[in-house]
Amino acid sequence: MTDDLIAAIGQQHSDFSEAVGRMVEIRAPVQVADLADEPLTATTDIMLKAGFRARLIVPLVGAQGAVGALVVRRRVPGEFPKSTIELLQTFAAQSVLAIENANLFHELEKKSVELQLASRHKSQFLANISHELRTPLNAILGYTELIVDKIYGEIPPKALTTLERVQANGKHLLGLINDVLDLSKIEAGQINLTLTDYSVKDIVYNVYSAVESLANNKKISLKVDIAPELPQARGDERRLTQVLFNLVGNAIKFTDDGEVAIKASSSNGSVTVAVHDTGPGISAADQEKIFEEFQQANSSTTKEKGGTGLGLAIAKRIVEMHGGRLWVKSQLGQGATFSFMVPVKVENQVGHG
Amino acid sequence: MTKRILVVEDQEDNRQILRDLLGSAGYDLIEAENGEEALAAVSKNRPDLILMDIQLPIMDGYEATRRLKSDPEFKTIPIIVVTSYALSGDEGKAREAGCDAYVTKPYSPRLLLAKINEFLS
């Protein structure tokens, strides 16, 4: 068809659509043997003037309804042969599939763009709220420390003790905010691992020195067992340190006497770090819960021991992003061992945080 | 002679905290609320040390640090940049901008003072 013809037809959308509409209703091809015998419409007039006499319209009907029509015109009047109609119906069926797929693909593209936009909004929101939440808290902690440091002069001992409670609560709140924001970022797929070469030994000793005084205060013995010849590893050193710090911190927190032991070993291209404590142990039912967000073994634990219950959820995600595993082995009354295993060399993070 | 510190910080509470902290430690303070004001303040009244917050309106802390460090007249003034927690880009960016040291918020006023004393004694 020439461009002029197409343009002319396009302008006659209404009466042409009527024919298509009829055909789509009955879902069968409709043919006109001779347009000259039909009541004259603007479209048929154009067609006749262009020299076409016979017309066959084959509907394109998919699962979701009509997606279009195949229109075939012939200069010779007369009915279209059955074989031609069948051929065109086959062609139509294929076309429907192709059109529906194209539509689906288009939908998918649209959704994908929407999701990206939503994700960007979420990340902007997280950045903003992070700043908004921490700013006043920093002021609270800053002023309180100045008072406690007696910058403003002597303070009565009772007031000092109270202020130290205020500080402790403020720091706890800060920890909560950080945890919640960390987890939100992980959920939003916005944590990207910073992969560098690191030494497992260094991580273990960094955590050890960070928790040493905590363990001493509770009179818990802190042990370290690092296998000799640990290979140089590659991964996100800061975040793996965070994971180990969380596990060891928990071990100390939940153990009232005895010991906490950190053990690092490697085999078959993986590094395994295990943290064992002589605390009360964890029941099988609780073992399932504790890796989920906001779940602690029981709510009285939260009140006693504090924490958000987010640390393990975050730790698990981080380990999994390294392509590793985090698990616990424990029995009530027999302490607990939390272990994580990661490949020695992580070159790509697994999935989005 | 009393050492002079330029505090570049847009939050009034944080400025007050630094006023009280640094004042009680015997330092003289000048204040600026954004990077642009900081540059003006440095030219007017040369400080011995600059405490630069990052999140500032009009001109942020990185830009102000960069400009000061590329100015032969001012590049010897030590700049301590205050970065936000766990925005892992911050520390690297601060170093790239040429800062002499950085502290992460929330900083302990005590530790900040110790760091400042390092540079100024």
Side-chain angles (χ1 to χ4, degrees):
Chain A
M1 278 174 65
T2 64
D3 287 340
D4 287 345
L5 208 47
I6 295 172
I9 297 285
Q11 282 173 346
Q12 303 309 324
H13 191 65
S14 54
D15 56 38
F16 186 65
S17 309
E18 203 213 292
V20 176
R22 211 187 333 137
M23 163 217 58
V24 166
E25 256 177 61
I26 58 181
R27 299 201 170 198
V30 166
Q31 59 173 318
V32 172
D34 195 344
L35 287 171
D37 294 338
E38 294 284 300
L40 193 63
T41 67
T43 321
T44 46
D45 188 44
I46 296 171
M47 289 288 109
L48 286 168
K49 290 209 171 89
F52 294 110
R53 298 289 293 275
R55 182 182 72 197
L56 169 68
I57 306 178
V58 178
L60 299 174
V61 184
Q64 261 93 47
V67 297
L70 265 177
V71 181
V72 179
R73 280 170 256 268
R74 210 168 56 180
R75 294 180 192 279
V76 176
E79 293 214 337
F80 287 80
K82 203 145 167 277
S83 57
T84 305
I85 300 180
E86 279 167 11
L87 180 64
L88 287 168
Q89 280 179 302
T90 308
F91 185 49
Q94 297 300 319
S95 304
V96 170
L97 285 173
I99 291 172
E100 283 185 334
N101 281 343
N103 284 341
L104 275 172
F105 186 71
H106 195 58
E107 279 289 319
L108 213 74
E109 265 191 326
K110 251 181 41 178
K111 286 282 181 258
S112 170
V113 169
E114 281 173 22
L115 271 171
Q116 275 182 24
L117 209 66
S119 170
R120 237 177 299 154
H121 283 163
K122 191 165 188 182
S123 105
Q124 190 54 53
F125 169 77
L126 285 175
N128 291 345
I129 217 179
S130 163
H131 186 65
E132 295 304 319
L133 288 177
R134 291 197 182 106
T135 301
L137 195 47
N138 290 342
I140 292 174
L141 289 172
Y143 281 130
T144 313
E145 184 164 323
L146 289 185
I147 301 176
V148 166
D149 284 354
K150 310 201 174 136
I151 302 274
Y152 307 103
E154 278 300 321
I155 22 171
K158 187 77 206 288
L160 184 60
T161 323
T162 308
L163 280 164
E164 284 169 351
R165 290 306 311 149
V166 171
Q167 272 188 313
N169 275 280
K171 290 186 180 148
H172 181 60
L173 186 56
L174 190 62
L176 291 177
I177 292 176
N178 291 338
D179 272 356
V180 169
L181 288 169
D182 254 358
L183 200 63
S184 309
K185 273 198 242 155
I186 290 182
E187 299 282 312
Q190 280 152 27
I191 300 278
N192 284 318
L193 297 181
T194 308
L195 299 171
T196 57
D197 292 331
Y198 70 92
S199 142
V200 177
K201 194 162 111 173
D202 285 349
I203 291 186
V204 174
Y205 278 115
N206 280 339
V207 172
Y208 179 93
S209 19
V211 301
E212 217 180 340
S213 52
L214 230 90
N216 285 341
N217 288 344
K218 285 186 91 173
K219 307 259 191 295
I220 299 173
S221 149
L222 193 58
K223 291 209 169 81
V224 165
D225 173 9
I226 301 187
E229 322 267 313
L230 275 180
Q232 246 250 323
R234 189 168 172 81
D236 188 325
E237 179 173 12
R238 186 173 72 89
R239 294 212 168 89
L240 287 175
T241 307
Q242 189 184 353
V243 168
L244 186 57
F245 184 74
N246 177 262
L247 295 181
V248 177
N250 280 348
I252 296 177
K253 191 159 81 168
F254 289 96
T255 303
D256 288 320
D257 69 287
E259 72 168 33
V260 167
I262 310 172
K263 181 164 161 183
S265 60
S266 84
S267 74
N268 291 339
S270 310
V271 160
T272 304
V273 181
V275 179
H276 175 72
D277 68 69
T278 55
I282 308 170
S283 72
D286 287 338
Q287 284 177 35
E288 302 223 357
K289 282 198 334 201
I290 52 178
F291 289 104
E292 288 163 36
E293 296 107 27
F294 300 110
Q295 302 287 352
Q296 289 188 327
N298 60 66
S299 55
S300 61
T301 321
T302 319
K303 296 209 178 83
E304 240 184 76
K305 307 283 187 185
T308 48
L310 286 178
L312 275 179
I314 296 174
K316 184 157 177 272
R317 296 286 203 295
I318 291 175
V319 170
E320 285 168 1
M321 282 172 74
H322 279 80
R325 267 202 318 135
L326 177 62
W327 72 96
V328 63
K329 273 205 174 68
S330 173
Q331 270 185 317
L332 279 174
Q334 298 192 10
T337 305
F338 281 82
S339 313
F340 68 89
M341 181 169 84
V342 291
V344 172
K345 301 262 192 246
V346 176
E347 296 295 346
N348 300 300
Q349 79 183 40
V350 175
H352 278 295
Chain B
M1 218 198 50
T2 325
K3 300 284 184 161
R4 190 182 304 129
I5 300 181
L6 168 63
V7 166
V8 190
E9 165 63 66
D10 67 324
Q11 301 281 346
E12 169 61 26
D13 277 315
N14 291 336
R15 283 200 306 276
Q16 182 66 53
I17 289 174
L18 290 169
R19 239 175 260 145
D20 292 344
L21 177 71
L22 300 176
S24 81
Y27 292 109
D28 264 353
L29 241 61
I30 20 173
E31 296 173 26
E33 295 186 33
N34 58 62
E36 220 174 64
E37 279 181 28
L39 297 179
V42 172
S43 319
K44 209 168 99 172
N45 215 340
R46 194 196 167 87
D48 299 294
L49 179 136
I50 303 174
L51 207 54
M52 181 89 74
D53 189 39
I54 294 206
Q55 256 127 336
L56 301 164
I58 303 178
M59 186 197 296
D60 72 22
Y62 297 126
E63 182 58 28
T65 303
R66 244 172 275 144
R67 296 215 189 169
L68 288 166
K69 284 303 178 184
S70 55
D71 187 326
E73 204 191 328
F74 302 126
K75 67 181 182 185
T76 52
I77 308 177
I79 302 183
I80 301 180
V81 164
V82 181
T83 62
S84 11
Y85 163 83
L87 268 174
S88 51
D90 275 17
E91 284 144 32
K93 274 168 135 177
R95 243 173 290 135
E96 269 169 45
C99 72
D100 297 88
Y102 56 79
V103 283
T104 339
K105 268 199 265 205
Y107 48 77
S108 142
R110 234 176 276 143
L111 292 175
L112 179 63
L113 195 58
K115 214 164 208 142
I116 293 175
N117 291 337
E118 252 181 62
F119 280 101
L120 291 184
S121 49

